[in-house]
Amino acid sequence: MIHVTKTTLPTLNEYTHYLERVWSSGQITNNGSLCRELTEHLKTYLELKNLELVSNGTLAIQLAIKALAIKGEVITTPYSYVATTSSILWEGCEPIFVDINNHNFCINPDLIEAAITEKTSAILATHVYGYPCDVIKIQQIADKYQLKVIYDAAHAFGVRVAGKSILQYGDCSTLSFHATKLFHTAEGGAIICKDADVTKRIFLMKKFGHIGEDDYLDIGINAKMSELHAAMGLCILPKVNDIIAYRKECSGWYDTQLEGCFLQRPIAPADFTYNYAYYPVIFPTHEIMMRVRQTLLDNGIGPRRYFHPSLNTLPFLKTELKRACPISEDIALRVLCLPLYVGLSKVDVKVICDLIKRTLRSESE
Ligand SMILES: *Cc1c(COP(=O)(O)O)cnc(C)c1O
């Protein structure tokens, strides 16, 4: 079976090299030397000042909401993984959905102002598939209405715009290091903050607000990364450039094979360095997408409906929160992410594309 993604693993030797350090220190969690080292290496790699590791990408969003003291209504995208919306709800806030652009599937900044009320305190948007939101326009709106900005950057590890890390925008950006992501620690994540004080607050909050013997300075939770997870990150980080390069090559094979099929793809902005996190394609209709999906499944290939359903239609939302987002709902019904990972061969890509083309041809007959 070819799945949408496959975790990049280090050799067992590479991993045990770091485990030997853990065993000799005896410290397997609580900000040990591997976590500290991974933090520094990530700051260097991503060219960032303020970064806190956490135990997953969902807690990263929740902690960012908490640390920025966000309350009330949060303007957000309906086109993302469920964690973006559920984190808002989990923190006792209300997600106010604003539809996406048709060209990059990120939140449409021109629709944000109309959704702002006196209860709005923040914008939480996703750089979906690693394609950047319009960070400049969003910041202008945030400044005008004094809103906080959080980017769910779970897909945007290593993405740059105009020579700058996309993670430098907003008050906070959150990363997921889940096993399915491009850079991973099995489970894990990080929060990047503009402000050093917010970073300090998150450093405290992720360990119960507890410092020293028995000082409890802030409300906290347990969102620490363990040394065993940091060890995985230290193994994978040196491979990240090769991982991105392989995925780029693989995406190129898809581009060539699918040329002339008239399948919609996200459009990248100018002066953009992509990380090739996903290979989404939008089919002409929901029926065609479902037929292609079935053909691929019948042949042992598992594409994924990233992202479906459109989050404004989640069953557990109050009716008044289920605002129509026609573009997001439409794209969610027609999208498939094709397999993309290190080790997927050119032959695999050809097989997948031949199956897609065969299905599309039989559609048009
Ligand atoms: C993966 C993902 C998350 C959740 O991250 P976890 O580390 O699995 O908790 C959040 N948002 C988006 C957009 C994601 O893709």
Side-chain angles (χ1 to χ4, degrees):
M1 183 87 188
I2 294 178
H3 293 284
V4 72
T5 190
K6 188 171 162 187
T7 303
T8 308
L9 284 174
T11 65
L12 209 46
N13 266 341
E14 288 171 302
Y15 191 59
T16 48
H17 163 75
Y18 285 104
L19 292 190
E20 277 163 16
R21 266 176 61 188
V22 178
W23 257 248
S24 66
S25 77
Q27 182 176 7
I28 65 169
T29 188
N30 285 0
N31 201 28
S33 81
L34 274 66
C35 273
R36 295 198 304 271
E37 188 173 322
L38 180 60
T39 304
E40 290 314 311
H41 288 192
L42 283 169
K43 285 187 198 172
T44 306
Y45 182 82
L46 299 168
E47 297 174 30
L48 299 163
K49 278 208 301 278
N50 302 315
L51 179 146
E52 283 298 326
L53 293 174
V54 290
S55 45
N56 62 62
T58 305
L59 275 166
I61 306 171
Q62 290 168 211
L63 274 167
I65 293 173
K66 198 71 121 196
L68 294 169
I70 290 166
K71 297 267 174 328
E73 295 179 356
V74 177
I75 290 179
T76 192
T77 177
Y79 196 74
S80 184
Y81 184 58
V82 70
T84 314
T85 297
S86 56
S87 299
I88 296 172
L89 292 163
W90 199 267
E91 292 304 322
C93 300
E94 290 205 319
I96 304 298
F97 295 100
V98 163
D99 209 355
I100 56 170
N101 295 311
N102 198 33
H103 62 273
N104 66 357
F105 315 136
C106 294
I107 197 166
N108 181 343
D110 297 332
L111 303 177
I112 291 178
E113 280 198 79
I116 295 174
T117 72
E118 65 280 8
K119 289 196 216 141
T120 310
S121 64
I123 300 168
L124 168 45
T126 302
H127 301 302
V128 74
Y129 307 127
Y131 290 90
C133 295
D134 191 335
V135 289
I136 305 293
K137 263 194 197 164
I138 291 174
Q139 194 57 53
Q140 281 165 357
I141 298 166
D143 290 342
K144 182 168 165 192
Y145 294 92
Q146 300 192 339
L147 307 177
K148 301 288 186 199
V149 179
I150 300 174
Y151 288 109
D152 180 343
H155 306 161
F157 190 91
V159 166
R160 303 172 73 84
V161 179
K164 253 181 97 169
S165 167
I166 194 69
L167 304 171
Q168 297 185 12
Y169 294 93
D171 295 283
C172 290
S173 291
T174 62
L175 290 169
S176 165
F177 302 154
H178 184 255
T180 52
K181 306 299 205 267
L182 182 130
F183 166 76
H184 79 93
T185 59
E187 292 274 2
I191 310 174
I192 290 96
C193 309
K194 187 151 65 186
D195 192 19
D197 288 340
V198 177
T199 319
K200 262 192 220 149
R201 183 147 200 231
I202 288 169
F203 174 76
L204 262 182
M205 279 182 155
K206 76 175 183 186
K207 50 177 193 132
F208 315 100
H210 184 178
I211 199 156
E213 263 307 277
D214 47 11
D215 284 324
Y216 299 90
L217 304 183
D218 206 342
I219 306 176
I221 195 165
N222 183 0
K224 292 177 267 99
M225 180 180 280
S226 84
E227 292 288 278
L228 307 182
H229 293 88
M232 182 63 79
L234 287 167
C235 292
I236 301 292
L237 191 56
K239 303 179 192 297
V240 150
N241 288 342
D242 289 343
I243 292 173
I244 293 175
Y246 192 96
R247 300 173 79 104
K248 179 177 182 179
E249 196 176 2
C250 202
S251 298
W253 299 332
Y254 276 119
D255 290 343
T256 309
Q257 288 286 332
L258 294 175
E259 224 174 74
C261 288
F262 302 103
L263 298 175
Q264 189 187 345
R265 299 260 304 128
I267 295 170
D271 206 1
F272 168 62
T273 312
Y274 191 39
N275 62 359
Y276 302 88
Y278 295 87
Y279 197 93
V281 283
I282 317 297
F283 291 89
T285 66
H286 175 63
E287 291 67 30
I288 295 175
M289 180 281 287
M290 289 301 270
R291 217 154 298 158
V292 168
R293 177 172 170 269
Q294 196 54 53
T295 306
L296 292 174
L297 286 172
D298 292 345
N299 286 276
I301 295 150
R304 288 295 296 270
R305 297 181 67 189
Y306 293 152
F307 288 95
H308 175 269
S310 185
L311 299 171
N312 58 310
T313 67
L314 285 169
F316 48 79
L317 289 172
K318 289 194 294 188
T319 313
E320 61 265 36
L321 295 178
K322 295 185 180 183
R323 301 183 173 200
C325 294
I327 296 179
S328 175
E329 289 164 42
D330 174 48
I331 298 294
L333 286 176
R334 297 191 283 128
V335 68
L336 279 184
C337 278
L338 302 180
L340 181 61
Y341 51 82
V342 173
L344 187 72
S345 73
K346 198 171 178 177
V347 173
D348 295 332
V349 170
K350 181 157 191 315
V351 168
I352 293 166
C353 293
D354 284 346
L355 288 164
I356 293 172
K357 286 190 266 194
R358 205 176 72 199
T359 315
L360 291 174
R361 264 200 307 275
S362 71
E363 279 300 320
S364 59
E365 265 158 19

